[in-house]
Amino acid sequence: MITQPVSVLPGVGEKRQQVLASLGIFTIEDLLTYYPFRYEDIQERNLLEINDQEKVTLKGVVVSAPVVSRFGYKKSRMQFRMMQEHAVFNVSFFNQSYLKDKVEVGEDIAVYGKWDAKRKSLAGMKILASKQEEDFAPIYHVTKAIRQTTLIELIKVAFEKFGNQIEENLPNHLIEKYRLMPRNEAVRAMHFPKDPKENQLAKRRVVFEEFFMFQMKMQGLKQKEHSEKNGISVLYDVERLKNFTQSLPFELTEAQKRVTNEICRDLRSPRHMQRLLQGDVGSGKTVVAAIALYATMTAGFQGALMVPTEILAQQHLESLNQLFDPLEVSIALLTGSTKARDRRAILTGLANGEIDIIVGTHALIQKDVEFSNLGLVITDEQHRFGVNQRKVLREKGWHPDVLFMTATPIPRTLAITAYGEMDVSIIDEMPAGRIPVKTSWISQKQFDSTLDWAQAELKKGHQMYVICPLIEESEALDVKNATEIYEHLAAYYAPDYKVSLLHGKMKNAEKETIMEEFKDAGSQILVSTTVIEVGVNVPNATVMFIIDADRFGLAQLHQLRGRVGRGSDASYCILVANPKNEMGKERMKIMTETNNGFVLSEKDLELRGPGEVFGFRQSGLPQFLIADLVNDANILEVARDEAMAVWQIKDWQILPEFSSLAKVVQPDAGETYFD
Ligand code: ADP
Ligand code: MG
């Protein structure tokens, strides 16, 4: 039986069983699906098509005898030349002079190594005799305790004995529709492909399977979360809501109308809402949140808006108060710095239902905070809250509807994966009349001359931000860094303009005073670590310098940039950076080329990979074994659609064509991915 432990195989004793277990291999099936993580392709490569620093295998004929030169203590270099289709290149090996015997003039050999395009030279790592070796060798992740060849032998034996027991687990109609390789064939071709082409087909199937199974679990979870018994109907007062939206000082954009409708439909329905609202900085998410909160209140429920920082909480409270101005809404603020007496009053108000809407920080999820009837929870900048914090707030109500707002556009593939259990609404349109921020990139040397230029903006009465990077290892360093820049600018612009400094070490009261002063144009230049990253609204600020911009992620830079360009005047963002490598330069360049947050996040994903973009730990983004979120994105989309389609079929689990799938997709599976 394929489900038997690996110890049934000959040659697998207790010790080897342990070694295999350390690789996550327990059963025969585990072993059979322990796929290579890459293949060494020793197919003949043309010299012209190899990239600099690429690891390749080059075949050719040896045209000069190897020369060994020794240097230092026990160090040596062996060099010779090879020819491939009339092109001659150098090969060098370090400290492997014993290979000398393997290199004979006139012989065909294949060398695996790293290509140096400038020198036309291959830094050899291994010599492969060209005739005997297979062209396409699988490489497995192994440990010191087990060798590649041993593992391959075991897989071979397992396949011979149990290969015929590998069952198909995808429904037939999908195999046919996407011409997927059957599972048993794919397993073989992953380990022992006849050629790269067959291996590609196998991989395509395995990737599909991996994504599909994951999505089956996610969609199952979504179905469960959304099920009627879990939700509440927020039966809001349509007339009052209409009056409210008509009272707003502006007309909603089409995108705002669309997402508002999506949210309101969810509120009304007994399904449990779990919706992600994405919209670029400045696209107007706050008013959408206000409408949803107001709707909730008219239905007799309470609403909560949770944000990551005190400043942002304060700002949201002000915005909401303005929007609700003539209406009777009881709204309160609860943060870490709320005074004990006020706090007690607020807790009472929440528990007895006198408070309709509460805005706050983490302080909202403390144990003693109780609600009378919480109907809607909104979190802003949700990615800053851990999954557990989100969950705690949610549990304070009887499954309140949940709306997650984010201005960090998440590439679609990541959204599908990390938030597959949610519905997604997107505001993809800016309120009319905005002038896009003009972004440029300068080197540190040019900083002072650019400060001259910026003076023209200050003369017009505009204000300016100067952002310093947060140095994660050391808050003290941040402060030092920011302080130095502050002093430099203060000296530079004295006595005409006032410069102020804001950093993370300051007390909240101090921060607030400085923000207020800047808002009221009492100071013209604000030097700050990234504490202003979210939420700050000072439309008169038209210039932003970002110091050491290459230390920030693209999404973060974009966020920061969103702090200017909020008024009707042209605005500028100046990235000050001397990036050390090509990727850094590329990232600066992209920033100057696009203002579209989604384009940037896709680019970031491409350049830095999902882990960096997302931060694995807090997000719970699953890691796939074979599938790749960037390169296999289109397969992910298809797999998701198909998984959704299966879940649309009533009681699909008991239908014969899904019997093998039902075995794999256990009820309740997937629950461990989140919360
Ligand atoms: P964000 O999505 O970044 O949270 P905000 O909600 O802070 O954006 O909105 C940015 C600014 O745009 C606010 O000053 C808000 O009043 C304004 N705004 C929002 N929607 C519209 C609209 N439809 N027309 C004009 N201005 C709008
Ligand atoms: Mg906002």
Side-chain angles (χ1 to χ4, degrees):
M1 283 276 284
I2 202 165
T3 49
Q4 280 177 302
V6 276
S7 54
V8 301
L9 291 173
V12 180
E14 207 173 305
K15 212 161 162 214
R16 182 148 288 164
Q17 191 172 5
Q18 275 174 15
V19 174
L20 290 172
S22 76
L23 295 173
I25 301 169
F26 301 95
T27 66
I28 302 286
E29 184 157 22
D30 294 339
L31 181 62
L32 288 172
T33 53
Y34 192 77
Y35 298 129
F37 73 99
R38 69 181 178 88
Y39 299 83
E40 208 163 82
D41 186 356
I42 66 164
Q43 296 245 302
E44 192 162 333
R45 291 286 301 273
N46 193 321
L47 279 181
L48 296 175
E49 65 187 29
I50 307 171
N51 296 315
D52 189 36
Q53 302 303 311
E54 192 182 348
K55 284 185 184 161
V56 289
T57 303
L58 292 178
K59 280 186 190 176
V61 60
V62 178
V63 293
S64 79
V67 176
V68 176
S69 43
R70 294 184 189 278
F71 57 100
Y73 177 67
K74 277 191 174 172
K75 286 188 183 144
S76 74
R77 179 169 60 208
M78 177 176 85
Q79 283 179 296
F80 59 93
R81 274 177 297 172
M82 282 171 64
M83 184 169 74
Q84 190 192 69
E85 291 175 4
H86 306 298
V88 175
F89 58 95
N90 292 310
V91 182
S92 58
F93 277 92
F94 282 92
N95 304 327
Q96 293 181 67
S97 55
Y98 54 87
L99 291 174
K100 199 176 167 198
D101 297 342
K102 282 198 167 185
V103 183
E104 268 185 58
V105 176
E107 288 286 304
D108 275 329
I109 63 167
V111 180
Y112 177 69
K114 201 190 225 176
W115 181 241
D116 181 334
K118 267 198 211 110
R119 299 205 177 125
K120 285 207 145 226
S121 169
L122 186 70
M125 297 170 184
K126 218 159 92 178
I127 292 187
L128 312 149
S130 69
K131 294 287 179 302
Q132 298 91 317
E133 302 244 352
E134 285 175 56
D135 269 359
F136 195 71
I139 312 287
Y140 297 83
H141 279 300
V142 286
T143 63
K144 275 196 190 126
I146 186 164
R147 288 190 312 181
Q148 293 275 343
T149 43
T150 315
L151 187 67
I152 293 173
E153 261 327 295
L154 284 176
I155 294 172
K156 257 189 192 139
V157 173
F159 194 80
E160 273 157 25
K161 284 196 166 215
F162 299 95
N164 59 352
Q165 290 182 28
I166 299 171
E167 275 184 44
E168 185 53 69
N169 56 13
L170 292 175
N172 248 329
H173 73 276
L174 292 182
I175 300 211
E176 280 165 20
K177 185 167 169 190
Y178 298 106
R179 298 204 200 101
L180 298 171
M181 197 182 261
R183 186 152 182 261
N184 55 357
E185 239 179 84
V187 170
R188 181 194 48 74
M190 285 297 285
H191 297 294
F192 318 111
K194 288 195 200 104
D195 50 46
K197 205 167 161 215
E198 191 195 46
N199 180 257
Q200 275 309 310
L201 291 175
K203 202 174 154 213
R204 188 167 147 267
R205 181 224 142 93
V206 171
V207 168
F208 185 96
E209 180 184 323
E210 196 171 21
F211 279 149
F212 178 76
M213 292 307 174
F214 177 72
Q215 286 295 334
M216 280 304 293
K217 287 170 186 166
M218 294 291 285
Q219 298 304 322
L221 186 63
K222 184 169 172 179
Q223 192 130 70
K224 198 170 143 234
E225 278 277 335
H226 282 182
S227 71
E228 306 207 344
K229 63 177 186 294
N230 267 340
I232 46 173
S233 276
V234 176
L235 296 173
Y236 55 84
D237 185 324
V238 181
E239 277 310 306
R240 283 172 76 190
L241 197 59
K242 260 195 194 145
N243 287 338
F244 174 49
T245 48
Q246 274 157 12
S247 78
L248 294 172
F250 43 73
E251 179 160 4
L252 295 180
T253 62
E254 285 309 311
Q256 281 171 321
K257 284 183 193 160
R258 188 185 62 239
V259 302
T260 305
N261 281 333
E262 285 165 356
I263 293 163
C264 284
R265 205 179 311 130
D266 277 1
L267 286 175
R268 220 159 229 285
S269 113
R271 287 174 64 209
H272 179 225
M273 170 164 89
Q274 265 196 298
R275 189 170 280 282
L276 181 68
L277 175 60
Q278 292 194 44
D280 225 331
V281 233
S283 61
K285 292 182 294 298
T286 312
V287 65
V288 174
I291 295 171
L293 288 167
Y294 187 71
T296 306
M297 189 202 82
T298 67
F301 288 99
Q302 292 167 301
L305 174 58
M306 186 160 86
V307 298
T309 66
E310 297 231 14
I311 291 185
L312 191 51
Q314 186 72 47
Q315 180 134 358
H316 270 310
L317 181 78
E318 280 169 32
S319 311
L320 291 180
N321 272 330
Q322 266 174 26
L323 290 167
F324 293 144
D325 185 25
L327 306 163
E328 275 195 20
V329 181
S330 156
I331 179 165
L333 177 73
L334 184 63
T335 70
S337 54
T338 305
K339 292 207 182 63
R341 232 188 60 209
D342 298 339
R343 185 167 186 276
R344 272 198 301 277
I346 289 169
L347 293 200
T348 312
L350 286 175
N352 67 20
E354 271 166 26
I355 294 175
D356 301 317
I357 293 168
I358 184 88
V359 181
T361 55
H362 295 83
L364 288 182
I365 54 176
Q366 275 155 5
K367 260 213 184 79
D368 54 348
V369 180
E370 280 172 30
F371 290 83
S372 150
N373 55 350
L374 184 59
L376 171 67
V377 173
I378 303 180
T379 62
D380 197 6
E381 294 308 324
Q382 55 73 37
H383 65 289
R384 292 175 157 238
F385 291 109
V387 172
N388 280 327
Q389 291 169 330
R390 274 146 45 189
K391 187 178 168 200
V392 172
L393 185 53
R394 211 185 314 157
E395 284 176 350
K396 288 197 176 287
W398 192 76
H399 289 281
D401 284 337
V402 186
L403 181 68
F404 303 97
M405 301 202 293
T406 179
T408 310
I410 300 158
R412 196 178 148 72
T413 49
L414 288 195
I416 286 179
T417 309
Y419 301 117
E421 88 282 24
M422 293 189 206
D423 295 309
V424 179
S425 291
I426 298 177
I427 307 182
D428 51 5
E429 180 187 358
M430 287 284 172
R434 295 273 171 81
I435 306 172
V437 179
K438 187 167 171 10
T439 303
S440 35
W441 165 33
I442 62 169
S443 70
Q444 271 145 10
K445 263 199 198 144
Q446 296 165 291
F447 184 44
D448 278 358
S449 57
T450 316
L451 287 179
D452 280 343
W453 161 86
Q455 201 145 356
E457 282 295 305
L458 296 173
K459 270 198 189 126
K460 284 187 217 161
H462 289 315
Q463 289 163 279
M464 164 170 136
Y465 294 108
V466 179
I467 309 298
C468 309
L470 212 81
I471 300 162
E472 285 209 346
E473 313 87 68
S474 152
E475 214 171 310
L477 257 185
D478 283 351
V479 176
K480 181 168 170 285
N481 196 14
T483 309
E484 273 171 16
I485 287 174
Y486 160 73
E487 281 165 3
H488 180 69
L489 290 176
Y492 194 96
Y493 286 126
D496 304 337
Y497 303 105
K498 180 165 183 203
V499 185
S500 52
L501 173 67
L502 189 75
H503 61 69
K505 266 265 168 80
M506 290 175 166
K507 294 217 167 60
N508 283 318
E510 209 178 341
K511 283 189 207 165
E512 250 163 61
T513 314
I514 288 169
M515 274 317 302
E516 282 303 321
E517 186 189 25
F518 187 67
K519 251 192 201 168
D520 301 340
S523 66
Q524 288 76 45
I525 298 141
L526 179 67
V527 178
S528 168
T529 51
T530 51
V531 282
I532 67 150
E533 187 183 339
V534 281
V536 179
N537 195 11
V538 182
N540 187 46
T542 56
V543 179
M544 172 176 286
F545 280 92
I546 305 178
I547 311 291
D548 289 335
D550 53 329
R551 297 181 80 125
F552 296 91
L554 290 181
Q556 214 183 354
L557 288 173
H558 183 61
Q559 274 280 326
L560 287 167
R561 174 168 66 184
R563 298 302 115 207
V564 289
R566 306 203 132 220
S568 48
D569 297 298
S571 299
Y572 308 89
C573 174
I574 297 115
L575 310 170
V576 185
N578 294 7
K580 288 182 195 65
N581 53 29
E582 283 307 311
M583 184 170 99
K585 289 178 193 163
E586 176 78 357
R587 289 173 51 225
M588 294 303 104
K589 237 181 90 212
I590 292 161
M591 283 301 298
T592 65
E593 284 164 3
T594 181
N595 270 314
N596 184 321
F598 282 93
V599 172
L600 285 171
S601 75
E602 291 285 350
K603 213 59 203 183
D604 219 11
L605 178 62
E606 229 172 76
L607 287 172
R608 298 196 304 160
E612 288 289 316
V613 176
F614 225 71
F616 273 110
R617 257 166 308 145
Q618 52 165 338
S619 68
L621 194 68
Q623 271 179 296
F624 295 102
L625 297 174
I626 298 296
D628 178 310
L629 283 172
V630 179
N631 296 320
D632 302 321
N634 48 352
I635 302 186
L636 173 62
E637 298 260 353
V638 173
R640 177 182 196 242
D641 292 348
E642 294 296 350
M644 280 164 78
V646 171
W647 277 102
Q648 295 295 314
I649 301 167
K650 194 173 167 348
D651 292 332
W652 63 268
Q653 291 96 330
I654 56 170
L655 302 178
E657 64 259 46
F658 294 115
S659 64
S660 51
L661 180 62
K663 262 190 264 167
V664 187
V665 183
Q666 307 288 344
D668 288 342
E671 215 147 19
T672 49
Y673 284 114
F674 301 96
D675 294 0

